[in-house]
Each structure stands twice: as structure tokens, then as C-alpha cells.
Amino acid sequence: DAGITQSPRHKVTETGTPVTLRCHQTENHRYMYWYRQDPGHGLRLIHYSYGVKDTDKGEVSDGYSVSRSKTEDFLLTLESATSSQTSVYFCAISLRTSGSYEQYFGPGTRLTVT
Amino acid sequence: DAKTTQPPSMDCAEGRAANLPCNHSTISGNEYVYWYRQIHSQGPQYIIHGLKNNETNEMASLIITEDRKSSTLILPHATLRDTAVYYCIVRVSGTSGSRLTFGEGTQLTVNP
């Protein structure tokens, strides 16, 4: 258990509204990630962070923004939610051991955009 | 990243060893082999990784062939709770900022 929590765990929202998902970790890991998982697409990286205020885009970043003002929190914002953003969102942290990097995932947030 | 190939599904009897194969014939010398699994509706779970030596932890063993072109994940005494999709991933070391790419994986079903 890498001490990762996500909130909310479930959310239903309407098209066009902004939505913020929170990922919280308790162990001061430097690297944090946001993925989305959809049937037929596997896990796809949205954004990641390599430190406070240091973030970068992943492969499916359009329509999403992130912020990391402190080590323990990584926020994902859907600026104007669309139905195509209905998905399960997973946060992860990266733990370095002997030269390689393991990732540990949170429980996920199921988002439905109607 | 090297491409991996896994069987789409496997069955195993409870209490027996589950041996999950993975082919990664284009693996390069600095790429690690990682195994993750995802139990239905949960986040992916790290299991084990290795470079060229066999590895064992409390969850599983990883056997990598000498030419590193394939590997096998072994769950020594499978339980019903091991029913999940298992993913074999090849990644270069030191790329913490990069994504993990999960393919289709192997659906392991442990039967009572």
C-alpha cells in the first residue's frame, strides 16, 4: 500500500461543467501520474508530475489540466467535461527501487459525463 | 519500448501453480520486464520486475530466459483472489516520467 487515495470515488456530472479529481499520497513520492482507462484502449497517460509545480503532458492531455502545489496532492481538472471523458481515472505514484521504477495505483475514480 | 505478446486467457486450478508466459523478443539490454495485474474494478497492482536474473518476492516468481526474449510469471499456489488480468510490460530503466503501456494482458481465471 503506497498510501494513495482518490476523491471522489464516483461522480456524475453534466456536459460543459468543470470537474476536479484529487489524488493524495502520504509518503512524499516525487512522481505522480494520472491515467484513464477505457474499454479497448487500456490505460492511457493523461499528465504526470515530477515535483511541486513540475508537470508534463501524456498521450491524451487535451481537455485536461493538472496542478501540484504541494508534494502530496495532484489535481486533475476537466475544464469543460464532455461525454468522451466518461472513464475510470487512476492516479499513480512511482517508487524507485534498484534502478527501475515501480508504479503504485490508487483505487480509481469512476466519472460519468451526461 | 519492446512489444510484448501474452496469451489472452488462461485457467488454473486453485492451489496449483499458475505459469503466465510473455514473449518480448525485441527487448534491448537496458529494458526491465515488469508484471502488473488488475483485479476487476481495482487499480493495477505491481507484482514484480527483473532485468536478467530470476526474481522472487512474496507474491510471485519471475523467470527470464537467458536470451531475455521471454519470461514467465509464476504464482506458486494460486487462489481465487488471483483471478485478474495480468500484464507484462517492458520498460527502460530510469524512465520514471514515462507512461506504462498496458497491452491486452492475460485473463487468468482460478477455478475452485
Side-chain angles (χ1 to χ4, degrees), chain B residues 20-103:
Chain B
L20 293 99
C22 180
N23 287 318
H24 31 79
S25 58
T26 60
I27 193 170
S28 59
N30 61 347
E31 289 183 307
Y32 284 74
V33 179
Y34 291 81
W35 282 85
Y36 285 78
R37 72 180 182 183
Q38 189 169 23
I39 297 168
H40 181 63
S41 298
Q42 298 183 18
Q45 179 186 23
Y46 165 81
I47 301 173
I48 198 167
H49 73 274
L51 184 61
K52 53 185 176 182
N53 298 320
N54 297 339
E55 302 287 345
T56 296
N57 64 18
E58 66 279 3
M59 290 181 66
S61 294
L62 173 60
I63 308 298
I64 303 174
T65 58
E66 190 169 346
D67 63 8
R68 303 209 325 121
K69 293 184 177 182
S70 66
S71 60
T72 301
L73 179 75
I74 301 172
L75 307 179
H77 305 286
T79 71
L80 298 180
R81 289 175 295 179
D82 292 321
T83 292
V85 179
Y86 287 77
Y87 298 97
C88 169
I89 299 164
V90 173
R91 290 294 294 147
V92 176
S93 63
T95 56
S96 183
S98 300
R99 68 182 186 276
L100 285 176
T101 302
F102 287 70

Side-chain angles (χ1 to χ4, degrees), chain A residues 31 33 35 37 40-43 45 48 59 90 94 97-107 110, chain B residues 32 34 36 38 41-46 49 87 92-104:
Chain A
Y31 288 89
Y33 309 79
Y35 291 87
Q37 187 171 36
H41 290 280
L43 222 64
L45 182 68
Y48 66 97
E59 62 181 311
F90 290 104
S94 189
T97 60
S98 58
S100 72
Y101 293 84
E102 304 156 22
Q103 290 193 13
Y104 291 83
F105 289 77
R110 186 171 296 274
Chain B
Y32 284 74
Y34 291 81
Y36 285 78
Q38 189 169 23
S41 298
Q42 298 183 18
Q45 179 186 23
Y46 165 81
H49 73 274
Y87 298 97
V92 176
S93 63
T95 56
S96 183
S98 300
R99 68 182 186 276
L100 285 176
T101 302
F102 287 70
E104 296 300 317

Side-chain angles (χ1 to χ4, degrees), chain A residues 48-78:
Chain A
Y48 66 97
S49 169
Y50 46 96
V52 173
K53 297 192 170 131
D54 291 323
T55 65
D56 207 347
K57 296 179 180 180
E59 62 181 311
V60 290
S61 60
D62 287 347
Y64 301 94
S65 62
V66 290
S67 65
R68 192 161 177 209
S69 58
K70 46 187 178 177
T71 301
E72 58 265 36
D73 288 325
F74 191 31
L75 304 181
L76 177 71
T77 297
L78 288 64

